[in-house]
Amino acid sequence: MKTEEFKQILLKAIDREVDSYALYTALADKVKDSALKSIFRELAQEETYHRKTLQEYLSGSKKVLKFDEVKDYKLSNLLESPAPSSDMKPL
């Protein structure tokens, strides 16, 4: 994997962590059950930790990760998935 590819993956992952934090925070604000509020707040806090860790890798302050080159079959491009939102309903 090239360095620039790795940086782009980290940036995308950081964006996803921010989105997940926003989702869990919105859900915590929306639910009335105190146990669910607590769970969603805890999940939001985990996303903050993940974001900080990814940012440390991006800035180089954490040990560099090494990857063997792997063929990308781009299977995820074939799957449709809705953007997460606090208004989602179960199937």
Side-chain angles (χ1 to χ4, degrees):
M1 178 178 296
K2 296 179 180 153
T3 303
E4 190 54 37
E5 287 176 296
F6 179 64
K7 285 181 181 179
Q8 291 305 313
I9 290 168
L10 285 176
L11 288 169
K12 189 170 190 172
I14 289 167
D15 286 344
R16 296 266 170 102
E17 297 298 338
V18 170
D19 291 344
S20 296
Y21 173 85
L23 173 65
Y24 292 137
T25 301
L27 289 169
D29 291 342
K30 201 173 210 180
V31 298
K32 298 194 182 339
D33 183 276
S34 62
L36 284 175
K37 276 188 184 296
S38 177
I39 289 169
F40 286 129
R41 285 188 180 127
E42 186 177 326
L43 289 169
Q45 188 60 38
E46 285 292 317
E47 300 305 329
T48 299
Y49 170 74
H50 298 157
R51 178 187 49 80
K52 287 179 182 177
T53 300
L54 291 167
Q55 287 175 324
E56 288 172 356
Y57 280 117
L58 188 62
S59 71
S61 62
K62 269 213 184 268
K63 192 170 120 181
V64 175
L65 294 173
K66 294 190 180 198
F67 298 94
D68 294 330
E69 189 160 337
V70 177
K71 175 74 174 158
D72 183 2
Y73 294 100
K74 302 196 183 294
L75 294 176
S76 63
N77 293 346
L78 302 175
L79 303 174
E80 291 184 35
S81 59
S85 90
S86 61
D87 295 323
M88 294 179 91
K89 306 276 188 244
L91 297 174

